[in-house]
Amino acid sequence: MSSGLSALSSVLLIRTVPKVGKCMRHHSSGLRSMDLLMAFLSVISVCLVCARWWGHREWSPQTLQLFYDVDSLICYFFLAHFAYGWVRAPDRMAFFKANWFYLPGSLPMVEQLRWARLIQLWRVYQLLRDRPDLLVMFRRERNETTLSGILFLFFLLLGVGSGVMYWLETGQPGSLIQTPYDAFWWTLVTLSTVGYGDLVPRTEEGRFVASLLILFGVGLFGALSGFMASLFVHPGKTNDDTTLWRRQQSEQQAQLLQELKALRAEVKALQQK
């Protein structure tokens, strides 16, 4: 009977260990909240490059220069994200070998290399093809999801606000916002809640848009301040890959022990008959 128990236990181990390995592989290479933000910025970057290469007739030279500068800022954001992942990686050499092809599209010096951002989009597309449970991912990685959401809203409002303000204010009598750079600078200052006051909208439509951006800016920076405060108050609560993998492994081991206890109870019941 003991030999039968050992055989059944071996079967349970063989059946459960692949599940643990599958969870490990899925978590180490699965979709993350920051990947969605990187994909959004990659789409913006590709659109800006397309506008610079084929939009010389539709856009003014100053607007094209603004597109180049904004795209360069996105490059620096990509470099910071890559450096952060490299510093946090337990095996930095393995991280670099697995993600080095993201670097060419992050270099702000060579505009031709920015087409490499399509690699980031292709990676996110492949991960989305696995149909991950986005709600579970958002709940599991709350800190990363919160930060990604704040940055996404900030970049979205910065782009939309600049375009709308330029469209409303340019060419209007007495307006101080006459160039794309003026609109971009005003939107950035307004969202950051600094408010220098060097540029102000003059039209009623522009002031209405300004009031909305002010409210959104206060909310965004309030959320960012709360997020940073939570990190300092609870520094031990992290959602890194190692912690989550250990928790999944503990759950799998607990499930295995429960199955073994149930199996022993059944074997004991059979012995008593």
Side-chain angles (χ1 to χ4, degrees):
M1 184 63 65
S2 60
S3 61
L5 178 61
S6 300
L8 289 175
S9 301
S10 302
V11 172
L12 287 175
L13 286 171
I14 294 174
R15 187 182 64 180
T16 308
V17 168
K19 292 181 180 179
V20 178
K22 183 177 180 181
C23 292
M24 291 170 55
R25 290 192 301 270
H26 175 73
H27 182 71
S28 61
S29 60
L31 185 68
R32 302 180 67 91
S33 303
M34 193 61 69
D35 292 330
L36 298 177
L37 177 62
M38 294 297 105
F40 169 74
L41 293 179
S42 297
V43 172
I44 299 300
S45 175
V46 171
C47 293
L48 293 177
V49 173
C50 292
R52 279 183 51 82
W53 283 34
W54 295 292
H56 295 281
R57 297 182 179 179
E58 291 79 8
W59 306 99
S60 63
Q62 193 174 21
T63 303
L64 295 176
Q65 183 62 36
L66 175 62
F67 290 165
Y68 178 82
D69 294 338
V70 172
D71 195 23
S72 298
L73 292 177
I74 295 177
C75 289
Y76 290 116
F77 185 83
F78 282 151
L79 285 176
H81 178 258
F82 183 88
Y84 178 74
W86 181 76
V87 170
R88 292 187 64 234
D91 189 347
R92 296 179 179 178
M93 183 58 66
F95 177 85
F96 184 81
K97 291 180 179 179
N99 300 276
W100 66 269
F101 47 83
Y102 295 132
L103 281 178
S106 303
L107 298 177
M109 292 76 70
V110 185
E111 187 177 11
Q112 289 77 5
L113 292 178
R114 298 180 186 181
W115 292 105
R117 308 273 174 79
L118 296 175
I119 300 177
Q120 179 77 20
L121 295 176
W122 177 251
R123 176 178 180 270
V124 174
Y125 169 74
Q126 287 182 324
L127 294 175
L128 288 175
R129 288 182 60 185
D130 297 336
R131 297 181 179 179
D133 194 340
L134 297 180
L135 293 179
V136 173
M137 180 191 69
F138 293 152
R139 294 172 183 174
R140 183 184 65 221
E141 305 168 358
R142 293 184 178 179
N143 288 343
E144 185 173 330
T145 301
T146 302
L147 181 59
S148 302
I150 293 174
L151 293 176
F152 171 77
L153 289 177
F154 178 77
F155 290 130
L156 182 64
L157 291 174
L158 183 60
V160 174
S162 299
V164 173
M165 189 57 61
Y166 176 73
W167 177 61
L168 292 175
E169 291 292 321
T170 183
Q172 298 296 328
S175 177
L176 301 177
I177 303 175
Q178 296 292 336
T179 65
Y181 272 104
D182 293 340
F184 180 81
W185 170 253
W186 176 87
T187 306
L188 180 62
V189 171
T190 302
L191 286 177
S192 62
T193 67
V194 175
Y196 284 118
D198 54 345
L199 298 175
V200 293
R202 298 294 186 182
T203 63
E204 295 182 358
E205 295 82 0
R207 291 177 179 176
F208 175 76
V209 174
S211 62
L212 295 179
L213 289 177
I214 291 172
L215 294 177
F216 278 115
V218 172
L220 281 177
F221 274 82
L224 183 60
S225 300
F227 172 75
M228 298 301 295
S230 65
L231 293 182
F232 285 105
V233 173
H234 304 286
K237 295 184 178 180
T238 57
N239 292 326
D240 57 356
D241 295 347
T242 304
T243 303
L244 291 176
W245 172 78
R246 289 177 179 174
R247 185 171 59 188
Q248 291 177 353
Q249 190 179 32
S250 300
E251 293 175 356
Q252 292 288 340
Q253 291 177 352
Q255 183 180 1
L256 178 61
L257 290 176
Q258 291 179 359
E259 293 180 358
L260 288 176
K261 290 180 181 179
L263 181 60
R264 289 177 180 176
E266 292 178 2
V267 172
K268 187 176 181 180
L270 291 176
Q271 289 178 343
Q272 294 176 354
K273 290 183 179 180

